[in-house]
Amino acid sequence: MKIKLPVTLYQRILSILSFLLLAGQILCLILRWNHLPDEIPTHFGLSGQADAYGSKGSVILLPVISILIYLLMIFVEKFPELWNVPGHVTPENIGWIYGNVKSMLVSEKFGVCFIFFYINYCTVFCRDIGAWFLPVSMLYLAGTMIFFLRRAVHFK
């Protein structure tokens, strides 16, 4: 069964912001390429400080991974009939349940795009990401899933 979901304003805004973060990541890398030192941070520890370094060519991997994840998430959004959704789906609530899960996916895509944008920014400008980054990122990603899944399970 093919499910056609309307795109809400919330989903449209987050999708646009996600794309802008992805494009910004690529643009930032292009504009800073000639100013990059030969050795750049390639890994950040739990403290948020760089603890491994590599050649400036290794920074290309971040946008490549970002693009692949972005495209995968868009693909998953386009095929709701493949989703295993929480809660009891009825003909009356199918639109709401699937719309809720789509909103969760769009929110997660935004979070992932922001995370990669920030890591790329810190790498390109050779800055530490900060000790706050990992807990805040994990809280956002897990909190978003919990919020939307709870909504679906408790929908009446």
Side-chain angles (χ1 to χ4, degrees), residues 10 14 102-111 140 144 148:
Y10 174 80
L14 282 187
K102 184 173 181 179
S103 291
M104 179 186 72
L105 290 171
V106 169
S107 299
E108 293 292 335
K109 179 176 65 178
F110 171 75
Y140 175 84
T144 299
F148 284 103

Side-chain angles (χ1 to χ4, degrees), residues 19-92:
F19 177 78
L20 291 175
L21 286 169
L22 184 65
Q25 180 180 355
I26 295 165
L27 187 62
C28 180
L29 180 59
I30 291 169
L31 294 175
R32 291 285 304 163
W33 184 259
N34 292 331
H35 304 288
L36 287 175
D38 291 333
E39 190 176 74
I40 59 162
T42 57
H43 187 268
F44 298 92
L46 290 176
S47 67
Q49 296 181 339
D51 59 6
Y53 296 86
S55 70
K56 78 177 189 178
S58 61
V59 77
I60 294 172
L61 193 57
L62 284 171
V64 169
I65 292 171
S66 297
I67 291 168
L68 292 174
I69 292 172
Y70 180 83
L71 293 174
L72 177 64
M73 293 184 88
I74 285 178
F75 177 79
V76 170
E77 284 175 37
K78 299 293 181 198
F79 296 99
E81 59 273 5
L82 301 177
W83 303 345
N84 184 11
V85 297
H88 182 67
V89 179
T90 65
E92 294 81 29

Side-chain angles (χ1 to χ4, degrees), residues 4-17 77-78 83 95-107 109 148 151:
K4 182 71 175 154
L5 295 173
V7 178
T8 66
L9 181 61
Y10 174 80
Q11 294 165 358
R12 189 178 318 273
I13 289 170
L14 282 187
S15 290
I16 290 168
L17 291 174
E77 284 175 37
K78 299 293 181 198
W83 303 345
W96 189 91
I97 292 283
Y98 279 90
N100 183 59
V101 173
K102 184 173 181 179
S103 291
M104 179 186 72
L105 290 171
V106 169
S107 299
K109 179 176 65 178
F148 284 103
R151 270 181 85 197

Side-chain angles (χ1 to χ4, degrees), residues 86 100 104 107-108 138-154:
N100 183 59
M104 179 186 72
S107 299
E108 293 292 335
M138 294 299 107
L139 185 62
Y140 175 84
L141 294 174
T144 299
M145 277 192 273
I146 291 167
F147 172 78
F148 284 103
L149 292 175
R150 260 186 66 100
R151 270 181 85 197
V153 170
H154 295 295

